[in-house]
Amino acid sequence: MNAGGIKLGLGVYTTLFLIFLYGPLVVLAILSFQTGPEGGPQFPIIEWSTYWYRHLFGLTPPSRIAPLPIDQALIRSLFLALMTMVVSTVLGVMSAQAFRRKFRGSGLAFYLIVLGMMVPGVLVGLGMALVANAFGIDRHWWSTAFVLHVVYTFPFAFLVMLAIFNRFDPSMEEASWSLGVTPARTFRKVTFPLIFPGVLSAMLFAFTLSYDEFSRTLFASGRELTLPLAIYGTFSVEVHPNVFAFGVLTTLFSFALLGTYAILMGLSVRRAKRVRIQEDA
């Protein structure tokens, strides 16, 4: 196959992939502008309206359709994702730092860490529920579910940081040590600014994976539902376009998060370049 055919095939594949990825979001966005409260999740659109967005914030007259139970669930999911992000990122940086040197049992330790992302979430969640019941431990989103989220997201943060450290030039640290700077200060002033782009990536992975996690949370969160569980509960009764409106807002939040990540990444890369220039000088 010639180069033109390869480019055409890749172009077609990329186009189909983007349609498969974003097509459902487009349909969801269109249905979210259905009129209400009589309009439902069907085509064609009866009338274009922002009714369901106003319904999310309680700005519509009372009707038979109850508001989504997302207020407390959203707060729980955000706090859980933030807690998971901090702990998983710290553990990822520390463990990847330890793996920079070969030590006895490093291979076993590596596979034990990675195992957390490979075991099916349903099995892990069910196992945590059984263990909690056996020992009389109350299940909550901030305890049992939090532990499972860290176990799941920690391997992603670890692999990201491991890739960063594999490309890291240790001569900069050695130069700092030769000047009598302590290892702790060297890490804070030299190492951390250079690996900060990877730290941001690990934080983004941990936050998004925890925020959207369903199967592990289902068995371990107890009676206090997180956002994915609360949204799932609404589907078991009746589906209305207010769910689609909330999905659009959540998608916009994700894009805003990615934009913030891109800005911070650009700033950290420029800072790392300045550190390298100072080291070379």
Side-chain angles (χ1 to χ4, degrees):
M1 182 180 295
N2 55 26
I6 294 176
K7 290 182 179 180
L8 179 60
L10 290 176
V12 172
Y13 172 80
T14 303
T15 302
L16 293 176
F17 175 78
L18 292 177
I19 293 174
F20 176 79
L21 182 64
Y22 292 105
L25 296 179
V26 173
V27 174
L28 181 145
I30 293 174
L31 289 176
S32 69
F33 289 100
Q34 178 76 276
T35 188
E38 66 278 1
Q42 78 277 343
F43 285 107
I45 297 295
I46 300 175
E47 182 182 349
W48 295 91
S49 171
T50 59
Y51 175 87
W52 297 109
Y53 289 92
R54 290 182 281 114
H55 185 270
L56 286 176
F57 298 99
L59 302 178
T60 57
S63 65
R64 66 178 183 85
I65 301 173
L68 288 178
I70 59 174
D71 46 356
Q72 294 297 322
L74 178 60
I75 295 174
R76 293 188 196 103
S77 288
L78 288 175
F79 270 103
L80 179 58
L82 288 172
M83 292 163 52
T84 303
M85 177 187 70
V86 172
V87 175
S88 294
T89 304
V90 171
L91 291 177
V93 173
M94 294 174 60
S95 56
Q97 176 81 354
F99 272 81
R100 294 178 65 185
R101 296 179 180 274
K102 199 73 173 179
F103 58 90
R104 181 177 297 179
S106 59
L108 177 61
F110 174 84
Y111 288 110
L112 286 177
I113 293 174
V114 176
L115 190 64
M117 61 187 289
M118 299 176 63
V119 178
V122 174
L123 295 181
V124 177
L126 182 59
M128 173 62 79
L130 294 176
V131 171
N133 291 337
F135 288 93
I137 301 174
D138 293 332
R139 289 174 288 163
H140 298 283
W141 63 269
W142 46 264
S143 57
T144 49
F146 169 64
V147 171
L148 290 186
H149 280 220
V150 171
V151 171
Y152 175 52
T153 59
F154 165 46
F156 290 93
F158 167 69
L159 292 177
V160 169
M161 296 310 305
L162 196 63
I164 295 297
F165 277 121
N166 283 339
R167 301 195 306 267
F168 186 78
D169 185 6
S171 61
M172 299 181 183
E173 292 175 321
E174 294 169 358
S176 178
W177 296 335
S178 65
L179 296 175
V181 182
T182 62
R185 185 175 177 81
T186 297
F187 179 83
R188 189 171 66 254
K189 294 295 184 179
V190 178
T191 307
F192 188 76
L194 295 176
I195 66 171
F196 188 64
V199 175
L200 279 177
S201 300
M203 292 171 63
L204 182 65
F205 264 112
F207 182 89
T208 54
L209 290 172
S210 174
Y211 182 75
D212 294 333
E213 178 55 34
F214 176 81
S215 58
R216 292 168 176 81
T217 317
L218 178 64
F219 296 99
S221 64
R223 297 179 180 179
E224 299 174 324
L225 302 180
T226 59
L227 184 61
L229 299 181
I231 295 298
Y232 175 76
T234 63
F235 278 91
S236 62
V237 181
E238 190 176 2
V239 180
H240 296 286
N242 54 357
V243 177
F244 305 146
F246 182 75
V248 171
L249 296 180
T250 303
T251 304
L252 293 177
F253 170 74
S254 300
F255 283 131
L257 190 65
L258 288 174
T260 305
Y261 165 77
I263 294 173
L264 294 176
M265 180 67 75
L267 294 175
S268 64
V269 169
R270 284 197 290 270
R271 182 181 180 184
K273 288 181 178 179
R274 287 198 300 268
V275 172
R276 290 192 182 97
I277 292 173
Q278 293 174 0
E279 291 292 337
D280 294 339

